[in-house]
Amino acid sequence: MVTSPQTTPTARTAQSDWWRQAVVYQIYPRSFADANGDGVGDLPGIISRVPYLVALGIDAVWLSPFYPSALADGGYDVDDYRNVDPRLGTLDDFDQLIEALHAEGIKLIVDIVPNHTSDRHEWFLEALEAAKGEPARERYIFRDGPDGSDQPPSDWESVFGGSAWAKTDDGQWYLHMFAAEQPDLNWQHPEVRADFLETLKFWSDRGVDGFRVDVAHALVKDLSEPFPSKATLPRQSESNGKHPLWDQDGVHEIYRDWRNLLNTYDPPKSAVAEAFVPAARRARYASADGLGQAFNFDLLQADFEYEKFRKVIEENLALAEENGSSSTWVFSNHDVVRHATRYGLPKNPKGGWQDGKDWLLSNGTEPTVDVALGLRRARAATLLMLALPGSAYLYQGEELGLQEVGELPAANLQDPAYFRSKGAEKGRDGCRVPIPWTVDGLSFGFGPGGSHLLQPKWFGAYSVQAQEGDPDSTLSLYRKALAVRRGLRTGNSLTWVDGTDWVLHFTRDGGWQSITNFGAAPVELPDAAVVLSSGPLEGDKLPSDTTAWLI
Ligand code: BGC
C-alpha cells in the first residue's frame, strides 16, 4: 500500500527552506538526454524528459556544469561562467528549462566552479599573454621555480595525479590542483571575488533556485614561502584548517559575501558546499551566514555495515541540529563508482572501499562484482536514506539500479584522472555513461545519434522502458518511495529503536518506522503495516540486506 501525496508539488517546494528536506536529482547534462543527436546530452534533451522527473517525484534538479568548456574535466573546466556550451544549447534553452521545471514545482540548482577556471577562460588567456609580473597574472597563482633549476616551485601533487604546477612558455609556473587545463584562481584578488558575485547574480536573476559549490574548501590558500613539502602536509580530510591548500578558515569570508547576496532574493537562494572536510568542520560551510548546507559524504564512504551507518547517521544528525542546518545524504554522484556496484565489490581489507583515497573514489569494477548483492544492498541503502531527516541527493541512473560501466575501452576514456595517473586510476567515466531510456535502439533512447561514452549491451535491461511497467523494478521502488516520503511529516526528529546490533531501526514523526537488516539471517518485523520494502519479504520476516518502511 502506498499513501498518496498530501501536498501538490508546487506547495511542497514553495517554502523558503524547501532545500532542508528536498530530494535533489543530479543531472550530468552531457549524459542525460541528447535531443540533437550529436552524441552529447543537451538542455533540450533535459526539457523533453521533464515528465520523467515529475513521475519520479523529485523536488529539485542539480545540474552539473553546462557552460562552454573544452571538457578537459567533464565541464568542470569552465571557459565562460555566464553562458551555455553551444553543444548543449543556448541561454534561451536554459530559460525554457527553468520554466518547464518551475511549472512542475521542481527547483533548479546549478553547479558553480570557483576554485579554477579553464585554461581557455579570457582571464587565463590574458595572463599567458602578459609578461611575468604583470597584473593580468595576479588573478591566478603564478610563481617562479627554484633559482636556476627547471623544477616546479614545490612538490605538490594535483588531485588527479602528477605535479600541481604547469610551466608556461616563459618559464613561470601556475598552480592547478586539478588538471593543467584548470588553473587555480587567486581568491585574494578583488576582481575574482567581485566577478563570482556577478555570476551568482546572473543565474539568480535568471531564476535558478540555488547553487552547488564545487570544491568549496579550496578557494583560500596559504601560499607563504618556502612552500612546505608534500611529505609534511596533513591529510586533506583530517587537516582541521592546518593544510595550506584546503579548508583554510579564510574561505568563510567569501561565503559570507555570497550568502549576503543570495539572501537579497525572495526566497533566498540555497547553496550547498562540496567540502571534503572532517564532519566537525563541515558546520561552518553549512551555517546560516555561510552557504547553508554542505555535502556529507560519510555514508557514501562507509561499508554496508550496521555500526558504520549508525555512527555516521548519529553524528551527522547531531551536527545538523547544532548548527541549525539540515543533513545531506548521498550514495552516488558523477565522481564515484555507482553504489549498486560498490556494494557488490569485495570488502576492502584496508577498511572502507575507497582504499585510503581522499575523494577521487574510482577504480572501475575490478575485481569481480556481485551484481545481485550490489543491487540488493543499494536498494536497501537508498530506502534507508530516504527515511532519514535531511535532504537526499540522487544521481541520474541510480533510480534504475544502474551498474558502473567497467568495460569502457581505453580509447573512449575522457577523465583527466585516467590520463594524469597514467592509467593507474580508471577514472570516473564508468558512472557517466549516458543513461538508457529504451530496451534497444541506437544509444538506448539517449538520442537519435550515438553516445559519447560507449553504452554496454547490458544497458537495455536497466532502461526506463524495461522497468516502467514492473512493480518490482528499482525505478518503481524509487517512485513509490518518493511518493510516500512526500506524504510524511518530514521534521528533523528520529528515534532509535534499539535491538540487535545488525538491525538499524528508527521511528520518525507520527510513529512511521524504517528498519534495515544488515545481518545474515532474516529478522522478525515489528507489528505494523509494511508500506514499502526494498526487496521481497519472507512472510513476516525481513531478509538480510533489505529495508522496510512501516506505519
Ligand atoms: C567535481 C569533480 C571535478 C573537480 C574539479 C569536484 O569536486 O565534483 O567532478 O573534477 O571538482 O572541478
Side-chain angles (χ1 to χ4, degrees), residues 404-425:
E404 185 84 359
V405 180
E407 59 266 51
L408 286 170
N412 190 219
L413 294 177
Q414 303 174 358
D415 189 349
Y418 171 74
F419 299 106
R420 293 190 61 89
S421 70
K422 304 199 171 32
E425 281 289 336

Side-chain angles (χ1 to χ4, degrees), residues 101-121:
L101 291 171
H102 282 178
E104 298 293 349
I106 298 175
K107 304 280 188 188
L108 180 63
I109 294 173
V110 296
D111 224 307
I112 202 89
V113 189
N115 178 62
H116 40 265
T117 66
S118 83
D119 62 348
R120 308 195 313 175
H121 188 283

Side-chain angles (χ1 to χ4, degrees), residues 26 28 62 73-74 76-77 111 113 115-116 160 178-179 182 212-215 217 274 333-335 359-360 415-416 428 432:
Q26 182 191 356
Y28 186 75
W62 150 26
D73 182 20
Y76 285 87
D77 45 320
D111 224 307
V113 189
N115 178 62
H116 40 265
F160 295 147
F178 294 88
Q182 293 166 295
R212 177 263 188 190
V213 183
D214 190 62
V215 279
H217 60 311
E274 185 212 28
N333 63 32
H334 65 298
D335 288 331
W359 69 273
L360 189 61
D415 189 349
R428 299 160 294 173
R432 299 176 178 183

